[in-house]
Structures are given as C-alpha cells and as structure tokens.
Amino acid sequence: MDYLEPNFDPFPVLKSERLILRRIVEEDVYQIFRMRSDLDVMKYVGKDPAKSLEDAMDLVHKTSESLENKSGISWAITLKEEPDQLIGIIGIWRLIREHFRGELGYSLLPEYWRKGIAGEALAEVLEYGFEKIGLHSVEAHIHPNNKASAALLERIGFTREGWFKECFYFNGVFEDTVVYSLLTRK
C-alpha cells in the first residue's frame, strides 16, 4: 500500500466511559455557533469567531466534505446521557495519506473544560486513527500560549517536535506555532 485508504462508511461512532463521539449533523449548528463564537474558545484557533449560523453551518458542511473525499474525519463530542447535545468537536481533520500521518484538532465549550473530557475523547480518536485508519503518526499544531493544550498533549504522550517562528498569519500578525506529534504504539 502506497498511501492510506480510509473507509468511513458506515461512520464510526466511538464510545468511552462518559462520551459518545458521533457524526456532526446540521442540527448541531446552534451548539457549534455557540462554541465557535465564544472568544475564549477561539483565542488560540487562528480563525475569526463565527458571526452567524451560516458560519457554523460552513463548518458542518466542511466536515461532511472531508469525510466524503476521505481527507479527514471529525466527530461531535457528546455526553452519553445527552447524545444529541454537542459539547465539542474533535477530529483528525487533515489526513496526509501518502505519509500515513494525520493532523488533530479539538475544541470544547468552556463549561466542559478541566473535566478530563478532551483527554477521554482524544484517547478514542487516537486509538481509531492508529488501529482503524492505519496512521503511523499524528500531529497537533498549537499556539505557543495555549498551555492547557500543550499540557494535555504531553500528558497523553505527545512530543514537542518543533517551534515554527512566525509561520502563521492571522489578523495582520505573524504568529508562532508549536508542533507536537505521537507515533503509533505498535
């Protein structure tokens, strides 16, 4: 095999002790808007906060498109007792198929921060990425000031690989990016 050939049909629903990770659907648009318009959530994302439901719906459609063309996969993070209520998004949003590598992204509504939810969701997504997709490595690009994300990644075994100076342009400013990665556990 010269590159990854993921099969996302049927969509893989992932379950952990407290969470169900399911497909993002149009009915999630209100919660996505709530999350993507929150300045604290968007502080380190490098994108403008959502200004309308249309902005949030664009994200829903992008996740469906990446799934269809097999360039990435994202899940709605939900609590088991409320599987219809999105509390965050997590995914291997970009697959670098020829290198068996994926790029990770995640965000949660602030009321769910510091409860172990991101780590629990990450464990499921990483297992799926390595075991089912066949990834050799996963990377995460974060803002250097995002201490919570850095601590989470380091806690679950990621290694800081590099600090890229002024490699990201956003709102008229060149920003640094820190790259973390995790190799397959095989």
Side-chain angles (χ1 to χ4, degrees), residues 44 94 103-104 139-143 153 164 177-180:
Y44 299 123
R94 181 171 70 110
E103 186 174 344
L104 194 61
E139 63 190 51
H141 297 228
I142 67 168
H143 190 283
L153 293 169
F164 296 97
T177 299
V178 178
V179 178
Y180 283 83

Side-chain angles (χ1 to χ4, degrees), residues 45-64:
V45 174
K47 294 185 186 308
D48 287 323
K51 293 177 178 47
S52 68
L53 286 177
E54 288 177 11
D55 292 344
M57 191 59 80
D58 284 344
L59 180 62
V60 173
H61 292 149
K62 284 179 183 172
T63 62
S64 288

Side-chain angles (χ1 to χ4, degrees), residues 11-16 18-29 31-32 35 59-60 63 67 73-80 82-92 105-108 117 121 124-125:
F11 185 86
V13 175
L14 308 179
K15 296 178 182 178
S16 66
R18 298 179 292 169
L19 306 175
I20 294 176
L21 307 182
R22 60 158 173 82
R23 188 169 184 162
I24 297 167
V25 295
E26 289 187 357
E27 290 78 14
D28 293 322
V29 70
Q31 286 294 92
I32 292 172
M35 184 174 59
L59 180 62
V60 173
T63 62
L67 194 62
I73 182 169
S74 295
W75 290 265
I77 302 172
T78 69
L79 298 173
K80 277 187 174 176
E82 295 182 283
D84 294 332
Q85 188 76 14
L86 178 145
I87 64 168
I89 294 175
I90 189 167
I92 303 168
Y106 46 88
S107 58
L108 280 173
I117 290 172
E124 297 302 316
V125 168

